[in-house]
Amino acid sequence: EQRTGSPETCKLPKQKQSSNKYRRFFEDSPVALWEEDFTELQLHMEDLRQQGVHDLEDYLHQHPTEIVAMADMIRVLDVNQEALNLLGASSKSELTGRIGKLFSSSSIRAFRLELIEIWKGSTHFSLEGINRTLDGRDLHLLFRFQTSPIGKIPNNNIYLLALTDITDRMEAEKK
């Protein structure tokens, strides 16, 4: 039997090798990736439903401060190096500890659309919006969300988010 990889890798059980391989794919991806836990947000949304809210879009229009409160309910589990590079952070803790600095009035509008998709139970969706880097520059981004599958059963509390910088495209379209 021929084995590939370093001698240390070959000594690891197959499951551990696979886990390490996918960890490297996440960390070294050329796309900015986030893993986020929406459990608290989804519990809050369920409470709203029980209180008689049927149309989240209308509810958020009537309660605009709820949008920021809902953003605080999302827990960032992990980000990769490309996400740090894109948003100007030197470490994961710097980025995840300063999420509020990434929001602008335009990103609040995009986040509102994200909340509506989650309310509807969407397991994957895309939207465009503007986020700020930690040094205050605006980036036009394409956000792609997908619930994280655990085995073959989707876990609707964990979302994977891929960010693509489309700033150059947007500026070219303006010209």
Side-chain angles (χ1 to χ4, degrees):
E1 175 179 323
Q2 189 175 12
R3 293 185 176 213
T4 58
S6 68
E8 296 80 26
T9 304
C10 293
K11 293 177 187 176
L12 294 173
K14 282 262 190 224
Q15 187 175 7
K16 185 69 171 170
Q17 286 180 33
S18 180
S19 177
N20 287 342
K21 176 181 176 181
Y22 289 108
R23 168 58 42 199
R24 284 193 324 273
F25 283 158
F26 178 84
E27 290 296 336
D28 298 334
S29 173
V31 175
L33 299 173
W34 296 62
E35 183 181 21
E36 298 177 331
D37 183 345
F38 286 64
T39 301
E40 185 179 347
L41 174 63
Q42 288 181 332
L43 289 171
H44 179 67
M45 286 181 167
E46 187 56 37
D47 286 344
L48 290 174
R49 282 186 176 94
Q50 289 177 3
Q51 294 170 24
V53 175
H54 299 289
D55 182 345
L56 185 67
E57 188 169 2
D58 183 53
Y59 176 81
L60 294 175
H61 181 72
Q62 293 176 28
H63 304 88
T65 58
E66 185 77 3
I67 296 170
V68 175
M70 288 178 161
D72 289 339
M73 295 176 193
I74 297 170
R75 213 173 90 228
V76 177
L77 300 175
D78 204 358
V79 297
N80 70 354
Q81 186 59 49
E82 188 61 24
L84 299 178
N85 296 344
L86 181 66
L87 298 169
S90 59
S91 69
K92 291 179 183 186
S93 61
E94 179 186 21
L95 182 61
T96 59
R98 297 172 63 195
I99 294 293
K101 286 199 163 255
L102 303 175
F103 278 62
S104 65
S105 59
S106 177
S107 58
I108 294 289
R109 285 189 295 276
F111 183 66
R112 185 174 181 268
L113 296 174
E114 178 184 336
L115 291 171
I116 292 165
E117 288 297 323
I118 293 165
W119 177 268
K120 293 190 288 187
S122 299
T123 57
H124 61 282
F125 54 94
S126 298
L127 54 93
E128 293 181 6
I130 298 175
N131 263 72
R132 287 197 177 115
T133 62
L134 290 180
D135 64 5
R137 290 178 296 117
D138 283 343
L139 292 178
H140 291 267
L141 298 172
L142 171 63
F143 301 88
R144 283 184 251 151
F145 292 83
Q146 179 174 323
T147 55
S148 176
I150 297 179
K152 294 182 188 236
I153 302 168
N155 178 347
N156 290 327
N157 294 330
I158 306 298
Y159 276 82
L160 302 175
L161 166 61
L163 302 176
T164 304
D165 184 356
I166 57 171
T167 304
D168 291 341
R169 184 192 88 193
M170 297 302 286
E171 289 175 2
E173 287 177 7
K174 283 182 185 177
K175 290 179 183 179

